[in-house]
């Protein structure tokens, strides 16, 4: 494991009211991340992936070092994408298999004309019934692509949570999310067609664990975070947009194979996020932990426990040890071509 010097160690949260443009070089291409001056970050290289840890520290929410949580971007490169069971293969599998993705009625309307979700969904593992009700199947019934992605996110969730905790220790006396093993029992698969998106929302239901990991597959996208109105964040940058909402404080480009890990429930109490894909097809696979004991009925508790169990054979076949490990056999030419045709990725 190697790590480079952080490009920026700490940016004083109250220093400036402007959004800063930070250019973080990666192995693949330059990654432009826009952050408010209240977001502090470090960038490291771990094995084959470039890891960038962004820590949300809302100014005015307490003492210096008052930290909402972290957002870690594990940036993939072509080598990571092309290995056996890697993002190229997962994308190809999801494009060619019917995994039951469909649009669902919107229950919490951000926009009155939005009656059906602007993305297709299918849930796996513990049923996910928050925000939009999504049809769900157990992990036992999940196709290999879903189980492979789940194992990739188990690795990513643990790698991100432990390195974020390590880094936060240097910044603050109080770690908002003490480090412990990250486990997931739910995976939401979303499919986006051209012009689809997911509007501002949080993943902060009280039944959820503190770590949420998303694997991006396919077209590039932009993920944005903005403070919630009700969070009453005293911001020096707290400009309101035309509709009276706060403007974004963190804007991340996401590419095929990237993993984003949000760590800390306070992130969701203080900020909303949205994702706007750019281009053709995209899948986002998001893992969470739903605490069965926090659910209301006996049936719900049982369903979460039973359906959320990861099949033992999947551990043997698909366990992912991370990008530190030398890349496995690359994909066959045919599979590789199908993926390249569908993707727009930086060179
Ligand atoms: O599309 C994405 O990358 C994120 C999806 C998301 O925010 C969610 O499923 O809650
Ligand atoms: Fe989300």
């Amino acid at each position: 494991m190697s790590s480079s010097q952080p490009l920026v160690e700490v940016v004083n949260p109250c220093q400036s009211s402007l959004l800063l443009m930070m250019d973080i070089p990666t192995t693949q291409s330059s990654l432009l991340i826009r952050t408010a001056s209240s977001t502090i970050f470090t960038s490291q290289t771990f094995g084959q992936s470039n890891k960038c840890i962004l820590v949300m520290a809302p100014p005015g929410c307490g003492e210096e070092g008052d930290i909402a949580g972290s957002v870690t971007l594990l940036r993939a490169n072509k080598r990571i994408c092309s290995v056996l069971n890697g993002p190229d293969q997962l994308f190809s599998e999801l494009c060619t298999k019917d995994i039951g993705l469909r649009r669902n009625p919107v229950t919490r309307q951000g926009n009155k004309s939005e009656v059906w979700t602007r993305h297709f969904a299918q849930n796996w593992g513990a049923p996910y019934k928050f925000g939009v009700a999504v049809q769900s199947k157990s992990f036992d019934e999940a196709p290999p692509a879903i189980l492979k992605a789940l194992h990739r996110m188990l690795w990513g969730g643990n790698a991100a949570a432990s390195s974020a905790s390590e880094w936060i220790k240097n910044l603050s006396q109080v770690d908002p999310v003490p480090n412990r093993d990250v486990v997931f029992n739910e995976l939401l698969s979303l499919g986006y067609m051209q012009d689809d998106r997911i509007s501002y929302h949080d993943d902060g239901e009280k039944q959820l664990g503190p770590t949420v990991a998303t694997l991006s597959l396919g077209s590039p996208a932009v993920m944005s975070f903005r403070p919630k109105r009700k969070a009453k964040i005293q911001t020096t940058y707290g400009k309101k947009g035309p509709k009276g909402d706060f403007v974004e404080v963190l804007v991340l480009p996401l590419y095929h194979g990237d993993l984003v890990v949000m760590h800390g429930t306070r992130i969701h109490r203080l900020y909303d996020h949205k994702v706007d894909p750019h281009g053709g097809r995209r899948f986002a696979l998001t893992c969470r932990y739903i605490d069965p004991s926090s659910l209301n009925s006996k049936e719900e508790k049982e369903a979460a426990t039973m359906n959320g169990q990861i099949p033992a054979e999947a551990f043997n076949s698909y366990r992912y040890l991370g990008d530190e490990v030398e890349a496995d056999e690359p994909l066959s030419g045919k599979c590789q071509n199908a993926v390249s045709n569908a993707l727009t990725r930086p060179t």
Side-chain angles (χ1 to χ4, degrees):
M1 188 191 296
S2 66
S3 79
S4 59
Q5 282 298 309
L7 292 178
V8 176
E9 253 174 24
V10 178
V11 180
N12 183 330
C14 298
Q15 224 164 35
S16 144
S17 64
L18 294 173
L19 277 176
L20 304 176
M21 299 296 279
M22 305 286 184
D23 202 359
I24 300 180
T26 69
T27 47
Q28 267 285 301
S29 67
S30 169
L31 174 68
L32 202 61
I33 293 180
R34 286 196 296 143
T35 76
S37 50
S38 58
T39 307
I40 45 190
F41 70 91
T42 178
S43 148
Q44 309 158 351
T45 304
F46 276 72
Q48 298 175 43
S49 73
N50 193 282
K51 181 176 340 196
C52 173
I53 305 168
L54 301 116
V55 174
M56 312 288 262
C61 258
E63 319 237 305
E64 196 188 337
D66 179 11
I67 283 172
S70 58
V71 178
T72 302
L73 173 62
L74 290 137
R75 180 84 165 87
N77 58 28
K78 277 195 171 147
R79 188 149 174 76
I80 290 171
C81 288
S82 65
V83 295
L84 199 69
N85 293 336
D88 288 356
Q89 199 179 61
L90 298 184
F91 182 72
S92 188
E93 281 181 43
L94 293 177
C95 281
T96 49
K97 274 210 172 67
D98 177 1
I99 62 159
L101 291 168
R102 66 166 196 243
R103 296 191 193 276
N104 286 291
V106 173
T107 38
R108 272 194 314 216
Q109 283 175 352
N111 173 341
K112 287 209 171 56
S113 65
E114 211 175 323
V115 180
W116 298 93
T117 52
R118 294 289 301 266
H119 49 261
F120 295 74
Q122 168 68 49
N123 193 69
W124 307 94
Y128 185 67
K129 294 196 170 158
F130 314 109
V132 172
V134 182
Q135 72 285 357
S136 195
K137 288 186 175 167
S138 75
F139 280 138
D140 277 339
E141 301 166 276
I146 295 299
L147 297 171
K148 290 174 196 173
L150 169 71
H151 282 278
R152 194 161 269 270
M153 284 185 271
L154 276 171
W155 167 78
N158 278 290
S162 61
S163 48
S165 281
E166 213 36 55
W167 197 59
I168 288 172
K169 269 192 225 144
N170 301 328
L171 299 172
S172 166
Q173 298 297 326
V174 190
D175 182 348
V177 202
N179 192 20
R180 53 168 190 255
D181 276 358
V182 172
V183 284
F184 297 127
N185 63 356
E186 182 265 347
L187 187 156
L188 178 66
S189 50
L190 296 185
Y192 300 89
M193 309 278 269
Q194 203 165 356
D195 298 330
D196 279 355
R197 59 170 189 263
I198 188 160
S199 324
Y200 270 118
H201 68 283
D202 65 46
D203 295 355
E205 287 81 13
K206 63 178 189 317
Q207 297 86 347
L208 301 186
T211 313
V212 178
T214 300
L215 174 64
S216 286
L217 298 174
S219 299
V222 174
M223 182 173 202
S224 311
F225 289 80
R226 72 172 184 201
K228 287 172 187 283
R229 280 200 229 183
K230 66 173 189 220
K232 301 213 172 56
I233 294 176
Q234 285 300 308
T235 58
T236 49
Y237 58 86
K239 299 252 167 30
K240 301 243 173 126
K243 291 185 184 157
D245 289 318
F246 284 123
V247 294
E248 63 273 13
V249 294
L250 176 60
V251 181
L252 294 176
L254 303 179
Y255 295 108
H256 175 59
D258 287 358
L259 272 165
V260 170
V261 181
M262 296 184 275
H263 188 55
T265 46
R266 250 184 112 214
I267 289 213
H268 303 286
R269 289 212 293 277
L270 299 173
Y271 302 93
D272 283 323
H273 59 271
K274 68 168 181 173
V275 177
D276 294 299
H278 294 277
R281 283 154 284 155
R282 175 173 185 268
F283 299 98
L285 308 178
T286 298
C287 278
R288 306 175 179 82
Y289 178 73
I290 301 175
D291 179 3
S293 69
S294 69
L295 298 170
N296 291 332
S297 65
K298 192 166 159 264
E299 289 74 29
E300 283 176 314
K301 288 183 211 283
E302 272 173 18
T305 309
M306 299 300 294
N307 295 2
Q309 246 160 45
I310 302 173
E313 59 277 21
F315 274 101
N316 298 332
S317 314
Y318 306 136
R319 193 196 297 264
Y320 182 65
L321 296 172
D323 306 324
E324 287 89 342
V325 174
E326 259 311 290
D328 221 328
E329 226 178 286
L331 283 186
S332 73
K334 197 170 158 209
C335 186
Q336 189 73 66
N337 286 347
V339 171
S340 338
N341 287 345
L343 300 183
T344 325
R345 57 173 295 116
T347 48

